[in-house]
Amino acid sequence: MTTQSANRLFGRRILLGISAGIAAYKSAQLARLLKQAGCEVRVVMTEGAQAFITPLTLQALTGEAVRTSLLDPEAEAGMGHIELARWADIILIAPATADLMARLAQGMADDLLTTLCLASEAEKIMAPAMNQAMWRHVATQRNAARLAQDGWRLLGPASGDQACGDVGPGRMLEPEAIVAELIQPISEAPHENAPAQGLHVVITAGPTREPLDPVRYLSNHSSGKMGFALATAAAELGARVTLISGPVSLSTPAGVERIDVETALQMHEASRRLAASCDIFIGCAAVADYRAEAAAEHKIKKREGEDGLTLSLVKNPDIIADVAKQRDAAGGRPFVVGFAAETRDLEAYARDKLVRKRLDMIVANDVSAAGLGFGADDNAALLLWRNGEGESGASLPPQPKTQLARAVIERALGCLTPRPVH
């Protein structure tokens, strides 16, 4: 349970607005998490939102009646919408559709939710969610910029698979990521002189999944714990952190922006896009080396008389090497840190990868060691890095991944300037 001293949400009154997007199903989990964080939560739904999730569901989760209409005679007998606008400390709209963003950007008040937004002096936050083409459209981008100027805080959207089948930016942030953005523990807020203050750190974490057919995929045993520990450490040291995560069952660290992906190609696209504007890029994800040349449209069936199955695989892009190449072409950013999970000849393979992929630093660990590596809470590592004086290294003994992550981030910060010559 989060305590008041460590959680800015404890005791806050949050008005959760839900508009008509498929991501509305995530709002139920969001309401539950806000309640767990100690918030009072009341829900307002647009008419269209009720086609995706029922008011009864939100009422059961919050313990409060859900408001859906500006013209509710019983509620408005006492000017209910004004009372609700004054009640809220924070108005959080999730999902916020392109239509709702457009109406709010123009100052419209044609339903209960938009009316409350205009009538309230509460802190205003929204999590956009829409098709990737709608998000990229010049009108939506103009509306997003206008809303930011008007004092709205926009969380996301994230990039990845969408319900319509498209892939790209427009996914609503996961409920855990939204709460993490809001909760920002006061006791852990970065000091203005924190060593990573002003830096943008991008980290990949977890496995990737490469579909073979609608029910099977190629993957690995990565839990994502090390990447998430790195994200936590970087945020605590003052950095702005973006975490590109494969499918894991971990909560987003406080203060960290999370982008969920499934496949290596999706992780590659997100990494190249973000690497262009970050200071440190850490490739901690266990990316599948190969994917199916063509995933089967239907489930692959066993055939009588055939004892084997032949799969045609193609190589996935080398994300960390491509980021390093992108850095060289752009003139020196970001500082690139790679990971090497090995089962033998740890130092030899790590040194080869450091040079061959033109990395600035590498973190190598022996995943065959008992109690360390994939899925474990502890790890040990060999750190190798390059600077103006050549190559240096250090061995980190077995320790909790949280401590190891802190050591890795601090070493990367120490190497950031001066940069090695490639």
Side-chain angles (χ1 to χ4, degrees), residues 56-77:
L56 185 60
T57 299
L58 279 304
Q59 180 175 317
L61 290 169
T62 63
E64 300 282 352
V66 175
R67 294 286 304 277
T68 59
S69 174
L70 178 60
L71 303 176
D72 181 342
E74 182 178 345
E76 290 308 310

Side-chain angles (χ1 to χ4, degrees), residues 24-214:
Y25 77 90
K26 297 181 180 180
S27 301
Q29 172 71 349
L30 179 57
R32 188 180 71 85
L33 293 174
L34 290 171
K35 290 287 288 184
Q36 288 181 347
C39 304
E40 294 182 55
V41 182
R42 296 183 183 178
V43 175
V44 172
M45 302 178 70
T46 65
E47 181 179 356
Q50 298 169 66
F52 296 94
I53 186 171
T54 66
L56 185 60
T57 299
L58 279 304
Q59 180 175 317
L61 290 169
T62 63
E64 300 282 352
V66 175
R67 294 286 304 277
T68 59
S69 174
L70 178 60
L71 303 176
D72 181 342
E74 182 178 345
E76 290 308 310
M79 297 297 288
H81 70 282
I82 298 298
E83 179 186 355
L84 199 52
R86 291 172 178 166
W87 172 86
D89 296 317
I90 299 172
I91 294 179
L92 169 62
I93 302 178
T97 61
D99 173 73
L100 184 67
M101 291 177 65
R103 289 189 285 132
L104 287 172
Q106 297 303 314
M108 297 179 67
D110 55 352
D111 62 6
L112 179 58
L113 183 55
T114 52
T115 298
L116 288 169
C117 291
L118 264 64
S120 177
E121 296 181 355
E123 180 182 356
K124 297 180 178 66
I125 303 168
M126 67 170 59
M130 64 200 71
N131 167 266
Q132 56 85 23
M134 294 176 70
W135 172 251
R136 290 189 172 111
H137 194 281
V138 62
T140 305
Q141 292 301 302
R142 182 172 62 244
N143 291 333
R146 179 61 181 269
L147 289 166
Q149 292 173 4
D150 290 347
W152 282 88
R153 180 183 173 195
L154 275 63
L155 304 180
S159 184
D161 290 333
Q162 299 187 319
C164 60
D166 285 358
V167 177
R171 286 169 55 101
M172 184 176 116
L173 289 186
E174 295 303 313
E176 293 82 0
I178 293 173
V179 174
E181 287 285 346
L182 300 181
I183 208 166
Q184 187 61 45
I186 297 172
S187 61
E188 297 178 8
H191 189 271
E192 62 179 2
N193 294 322
Q197 189 75 22
L199 298 179
H200 182 199
V201 179
V202 175
I203 301 169
T204 65
T208 61
R209 289 178 178 174
E210 310 303 323
L212 299 175
D213 62 22

Side-chain angles (χ1 to χ4, degrees), residues 350-361:
R351 291 189 184 280
D352 172 71
K353 189 172 182 179
L354 179 72
V355 174
R356 178 168 43 85
K357 298 193 177 184
R358 304 175 67 84
L359 307 178
D360 299 297
M361 177 174 156

Side-chain angles (χ1 to χ4, degrees), residues 205-407:
T208 61
R209 289 178 178 174
E210 310 303 323
L212 299 175
D213 62 22
V215 298
R216 302 183 181 93
Y217 54 81
L218 297 173
S219 191
N220 55 64
H221 294 295
S222 175
S223 65
K225 289 181 179 179
M226 190 66 213
F228 277 61
L230 288 164
T232 299
E236 289 176 350
L237 290 169
R240 179 168 71 91
V241 182
T242 303
L243 180 62
I244 305 170
S245 177
V248 298
S249 57
L250 299 173
S251 298
T252 307
V256 171
E257 177 190 4
R258 175 171 168 178
I259 297 174
D260 288 315
V261 298
E262 287 273 339
T263 68
L265 292 180
Q266 292 169 2
M267 186 171 284
H268 183 251
E269 185 276 331
S271 296
R272 285 186 57 84
R273 174 169 52 84
L274 290 167
S277 60
C278 74
D279 300 284
I280 299 175
F281 183 94
I282 304 177
C284 186
V287 183
D289 293 325
Y290 295 91
R291 68 183 185 276
E293 185 173 25
E297 182 179 358
H298 301 289
K299 180 181 175 181
I300 300 172
K301 297 288 188 179
K302 289 186 293 186
R303 296 182 180 179
E304 292 294 332
E306 293 187 4
D307 295 330
L309 173 67
T310 301
L311 298 174
S312 180
L313 305 178
V314 296
K315 187 177 290 187
N316 274 323
D318 190 325
I319 295 175
I320 197 75
D322 281 359
V323 168
K325 290 177 185 176
Q326 181 178 345
R327 178 271 317 283
D328 291 344
R333 279 207 317 172
F335 182 87
V336 182
V337 182
F339 270 68
E342 305 293 348
T343 57
R344 60 187 176 91
D345 298 333
L346 184 66
E347 184 171 350
Y349 283 124
R351 291 189 184 280
D352 172 71
K353 189 172 182 179
L354 179 72
V355 174
R356 178 168 43 85
K357 298 193 177 184
R358 304 175 67 84
L359 307 178
D360 299 297
M361 177 174 156
I362 193 163
V363 183
N365 61 291
D366 184 351
V367 294
S368 67
L372 302 176
F374 287 145
D377 293 323
D378 294 347
N379 211 343
L382 171 68
L383 269 60
L384 301 174
W385 63 92
R386 296 191 288 168
N387 52 34
E389 300 176 355
E391 196 174 293
S392 301
S395 293
L396 301 179
Q399 57 194 285
K401 288 181 176 178
T402 52
Q403 295 180 17
L404 186 68
R406 181 92 175 200

